[in-house]
Amino acid sequence: MSTEDITIEKTADLKISPENELHTCAMADSHEDEYTLVYEKPHTLLEVNMHYCPGCAHSLVHKLIMEAVEELNIQEDTIGVAPVGCAVFAYHYMNIDMQEAAHGRATAVATGIKRLLPDKYVFTYQGDGDLAAIGMAETIHAINRGENIMIVFINNAVYGMTSGQMAPTSLVGMKTTTSPFGRDPAVYGYPIKVSELIAQLPGAFYVSRHTVNKNTSVRKAKKAIINALNYQKLNKGTCFVEIIGNCPSNWKMTPIEANNFIDEVMVKTFPLGDIKLPKPEDLIPINQNGDK
Amino acid sequence: METKLMKGNEALAEAAIQAGCDAYFGYPITPQSEVLEYLAREIPKYNTKEHIRVVLQAESEIASINMVYGAAGAGFRAMTSSSSPGISLMQEGISYIAGAELPCLIVNVNRAGPGLGTIQPGQGDYFQATKGGGHGDYKLIVLAPSSVQEMADFVFLGFDLADKYRNPVMILSDGAIGQMMEKVTFGNYTAHKTDKPWATTGKPPTRDRNYITSLHIQPEKLELSNLKLVEKYKEITKNEIRFEEVMTEDAEYIFVAYGLSARICHKAAIIARERGIKAGMFRPITLFPYPYKRLNELAEKVKLMLTVELNAGQMVEDVRLAVNGKVPVEFYGRLGGMIPTPEEIVTKLENLISYKNVN
């Protein structure tokens, strides 16, 4: 996936140096010595290879969060909580302080951090099995308490790390390794629409669902993440960003097929867009530079 | 110095405040709900803008222990308390805390089990507390109070030991010690707080990122982490064994008991002496590390040891390991929340002595 589009605002007349040459994805000028840097990876991402499969949403969403952290200049004030699932190694990629939670317990861990460090930005990063199956109680109660954290919820309708079992968000009829004939609602019920569910809680301040399967959607997802981080300063409740993630490996698709599957199938069950927006009176002016 | 008449659970809660506990997360369960109630009432009085202390009633014990994980990982003095069924729910979190080497205090006001059991005192959680409890190779430092005073004292000690060794500490009490009222004296305590450069407080440009984890996917690395824990437990064993002896100098018969059972055995030893039996009492205070060596030494000079517990025989296995066959180690236990009288224990000892004499 091309990444130029999402960083239009970041285009700057930076000179290329040997250090950042590797980060450069696009160059506007072919002059031998002077290039215009239009994009580079955020410095909040560590220079390591990620373990994610080709075409997976995780690496992209990691990058979006770290871009947001860098652009808001809050690296020093951000603490993340990694889940159990494919993103279990998130702390190897994000150059911020992080804690690795037990399966499903990320929002409880985040509660422990945020209550003691109320001026910090705290977020959890969780998949559908982690957040909506084993961790549903922690999820609901953390949001019901209105914990001032951001929850990034990666919903790819399948257990990724354990390689393709049925998730609470698996679609009706979806074939997985544990529902080989397709998810039968008579046996397993229907996919949980977590965003719609938790939006009912007064503690949920901002709930928004996105994908990262094309450039326009990536831009929107990043904006939602920036909103969710900014809103933490208001101390008005939990911000919840759901990303319909693509999982080509476990969906048994090519990355392109997986991206198309989101638009053609997934969004019918999980419609995109803002599900709960702050009321205008709840929004005091926020300095978009992230200065506190 | 201030002396008060307090419930064990409340003395423990007051001690937590005085020990500089920054965060308490808990869930109601009998017989320890007073801890949460006391802290919910008292801690807000101490809050200042500079020092926020947190008391939070969680949605479950599972959430409580994971909130402790988060707060301890951020470098704060954090604790939780519960009773047996709740402590079972926390085992996953305790294993993660031990693996991630986070200092914290966990209080188990033991009630009788298994299952829902009853709310009366028990000591059936000895194995769970001392032999692991959760998955994987790890140890808690386990302190066993036998008075309201010790309910308070061990909070101070527990937090200090937790910080010193970056290890979870458990106070293994029981429903009687938690519920009864006694005099308790609070001294001028100074917390031995240690620097926590590993804590996740937000990464400044001056240091690498900190991350708290118990995950080491490569076996070679996990083994190194395991061995580091093993070394730490050896160090703890070398430095932190605590026990109490009563009338053991000339004793021919020794009761071995901890917590509530030790109080009863103390009285039983006095009664036995009145009846001409040279009895004494040995009370392990740290259940891990366990005073194996001292028990082995005592076995050189006594005829018999009688282990008394409120369970079907758990610590007695450690006593036998310690004594290693030098003298008979017998067991007397009451179950289901029933508590033996001192008379009952002396009678048991008398029966053992006469049986031994006959045979």
Side-chain angles (χ1 to χ4, degrees):
Chain A
M1 175 172 305
S2 167
T3 46
E4 293 100 299
D5 286 358
I6 60 167
T7 52
I8 285 166
E9 307 87 349
K10 271 200 80 189
T11 306
D13 291 331
L14 294 176
K15 296 283 185 295
I16 262 202
S17 66
E19 295 89 66
N20 64 17
E21 192 167 14
L22 285 172
H23 308 169
T24 309
C25 290
M27 300 166 196
D29 193 340
S30 60
H31 191 277
E32 233 178 85
D33 300 311
E34 273 189 36
Y35 297 109
T36 303
L37 183 67
V38 294
Y39 174 76
E40 64 175 338
K41 262 166 62 174
H43 297 94
T44 40
L45 265 188
L46 289 157
E47 276 298 321
V48 289
N49 291 330
M50 292 185 181
H51 70 282
Y52 298 115
C53 306
C56 168
H58 278 304
S59 48
L60 187 47
V61 181
H62 283 16
K63 192 184 69 180
L64 295 184
I65 297 171
M66 288 300 99
E67 282 180 352
V69 165
E70 183 165 86
E71 287 169 29
L72 296 171
N73 194 22
I74 56 171
Q75 182 182 19
E76 200 167 336
D77 295 314
T78 305
I79 299 156
V81 181
V84 171
C86 280
V88 71
F89 289 124
Y91 56 85
H92 284 322
Y93 310 137
M94 300 184 187
N95 194 13
I96 52 169
D97 279 3
M98 288 194 81
Q99 295 195 21
E100 167 59 44
H103 195 29
R105 319 297 176 216
T107 52
V109 171
T111 299
I113 300 169
K114 181 74 180 191
R115 290 276 174 152
L116 274 301
L117 297 170
D119 295 333
K120 301 290 179 183
Y121 295 80
V122 177
F123 72 88
T124 70
Y125 184 103
Q126 301 173 262
D128 40 63
D130 188 273
L131 180 142
I134 195 164
M136 193 56 131
E138 285 78 7
T139 304
I140 295 267
H141 284 279
I143 297 168
N144 194 48
R145 287 190 301 268
E147 298 295 342
N148 287 298
I149 58 173
M150 169 174 78
I151 299 173
V152 177
F153 171 43
I154 308 295
N155 175 8
N156 55 20
V158 75
Y159 280 78
M161 189 174 68
T162 48
S163 56
Q165 294 82 10
M166 182 180 56
T169 49
S170 292
L171 307 178
V172 170
M174 197 167 185
K175 285 183 181 169
T176 71
T177 59
T178 51
S179 58
F181 311 108
R183 179 180 184 149
D184 178 0
V187 182
Y188 286 114
Y190 291 85
I192 300 178
K193 299 182 181 188
V194 181
S195 288
E196 285 81 354
L197 185 72
I198 59 102
Q200 307 303 313
L201 301 170
F205 185 65
Y206 171 62
V207 183
S208 195
R209 184 187 281 128
H210 297 271
T211 75
V212 287
N213 66 340
K214 51 184 182 284
N215 295 338
T216 48
S217 59
V218 169
R219 264 205 302 279
K220 286 179 187 164
K222 181 174 170 183
K223 183 73 184 135
I225 290 165
I226 288 175
N227 283 344
L229 284 169
N230 266 327
Y231 290 155
Q232 269 193 56
K233 279 183 282 189
L234 301 173
N235 276 334
K236 296 255 170 90
T238 310
C239 294
F240 192 92
V241 179
E242 175 174 348
I243 309 279
I244 304 300
N246 33 13
C247 184
S249 296
N250 288 306
W251 291 354
K252 315 289 182 207
M253 294 177 192
T254 65
I256 290 167
E257 286 168 349
N259 282 344
N260 292 337
F261 182 75
I262 289 176
D263 281 342
E264 290 158 12
V265 182
M266 291 282 282
V267 298
K268 287 178 185 152
T269 303
F270 303 111
L272 305 179
D274 293 324
I275 292 157
K276 186 174 192 177
L277 286 172
K279 298 184 200 86
E281 61 265 32
D282 285 336
L283 293 175
I284 56 168
I286 298 170
N287 182 343
Q288 290 297 329
N289 295 326
D291 297 332
K292 291 193 298 185
Chain B
M1 301 285 266
E2 190 188 5
T3 302
K4 288 177 172 176
L5 182 68
M6 290 183 99
K7 256 190 177 186
N9 288 335
E10 293 185 343
L12 178 135
E14 176 60 31
I17 295 172
Q18 296 193 19
C21 173
D22 299 301
Y24 173 92
F25 304 98
Y27 184 81
I29 183 173
T30 308
Q32 66 77 53
S33 298
E34 294 85 357
V35 181
L36 172 56
E37 290 169 347
Y38 188 93
L39 291 173
R41 187 175 74 232
E42 296 297 326
I43 271 198
K45 297 176 188 170
Y46 294 84
N47 267 347
T48 61
K49 206 163 184 215
E50 292 73 39
H51 187 190
I52 303 162
R53 302 211 208 191
V54 173
V55 182
L56 195 63
Q57 179 174 332
E59 65 272 23
S60 68
E61 289 88 348
I62 298 171
S64 305
I65 194 70
N66 284 285
M67 290 172 185
V68 168
Y69 181 105
F76 293 92
R77 278 201 160 177
M79 71 177 286
T80 184
S81 66
S82 188
S83 181
S84 308
I87 297 291
S88 291
L89 282 171
M90 290 185 190
Q91 290 305 324
E92 175 200 46
I94 294 173
S95 172
Y96 278 69
I97 285 170
E101 294 194 87
L102 298 178
C104 66
L105 186 63
I106 302 149
V107 180
N108 181 1
V109 183
N110 199 166
R111 59 190 246 189
L116 211 45
T118 177
I119 58 174
Q120 302 302 321
Q123 295 183 320
D125 299 353
Y126 178 88
F127 281 153
Q128 186 194 54
T130 61
K131 309 297 178 192
H135 59 283
D137 276 302
Y138 71 89
K139 290 284 187 187
L140 309 176
I141 298 170
V142 185
L143 304 169
S146 76
S147 63
V148 171
Q149 183 66 53
E150 284 188 342
M151 284 288 270
D153 292 347
F154 289 176
V155 173
F156 301 108
L157 175 63
F159 271 125
D160 284 353
L161 290 176
D163 281 349
K164 183 178 175 187
Y165 293 103
R166 266 192 80 173
N167 205 68
V169 172
M170 175 174 278
I171 293 179
L172 183 60
S173 181
D174 64 65
I177 305 289
Q179 290 294 322
M180 71 187 189
M181 294 184 87
E182 278 186 322
K183 271 197 302 188
V184 54
T185 303
F186 291 97
N188 293 320
Y189 169 78
T190 316
H192 296 91
K193 289 200 175 180
T194 49
D195 287 341
K196 297 177 178 175
W198 44 264
T200 59
T201 51
K203 179 197 131 36
T206 47
R207 66 156 167 83
D208 285 342
R209 76 198 194 288
N210 284 337
Y211 58 91
I212 305 292
T213 187
S214 59
L215 173 64
H216 308 275
I217 199 83
Q218 289 169 278
E220 294 85 353
K221 289 191 177 167
L222 179 57
E223 188 179 43
L224 288 178
S225 163
N226 291 147
L227 290 172
K228 186 172 159 236
L229 291 183
V230 169
E231 281 308 308
K232 180 169 78 173
Y233 302 147
K234 276 187 194 158
E235 190 67 16
I236 292 169
T237 304
K238 200 170 84 188
N239 301 333
E240 307 300 345
I241 291 172
R242 287 167 171 79
F243 53 85
E244 182 194 13
E245 295 183 30
V246 178
M247 300 182 292
T248 53
E249 299 80 20
D250 61 340
E252 294 180 340
Y253 302 95
I254 285 183
F255 297 117
V256 187
Y258 73 92
L260 176 61
S261 305
R263 291 174 74 100
I264 304 166
C265 286
H266 189 156
K267 180 72 177 169
I270 293 168
I271 294 171
R273 291 244 168 197
E274 286 166 4
R275 296 189 193 168
I277 302 169
K278 283 188 176 173
M281 196 262 302
F282 182 85
R283 175 169 78 97
I285 290 172
T286 49
L287 301 182
F288 178 83
Y290 195 77
Y292 291 107
K293 189 161 163 269
R294 181 57 189 153
L295 268 171
N296 188 282
E297 288 165 8
L298 285 171
E300 297 286 348
K301 52 182 200 175
V302 302
K303 294 178 178 172
L304 180 142
M305 291 191 189
L306 176 58
T307 306
V308 178
E309 302 175 66
L310 304 180
N311 58 41
Q314 298 192 15
M315 184 182 75
V316 65
E317 293 188 3
D318 283 321
V319 180
R320 287 185 177 135
L321 272 176
V323 169
N324 200 17
K326 281 183 181 170
V327 291
V329 175
E330 299 292 341
F331 172 74
Y332 185 70
R334 290 296 299 269
L335 294 157
M338 296 298 290
I339 300 170
T341 62
E343 280 291 342
E344 197 176 327
I345 292 166
V346 175
T347 305
K348 171 72 181 177
L349 179 63
E350 285 173 337
N351 289 343
L352 285 166
I353 293 168
S354 60
Y355 178 80
K356 211 175 159 225
N357 290 342
V358 170
N359 293 285

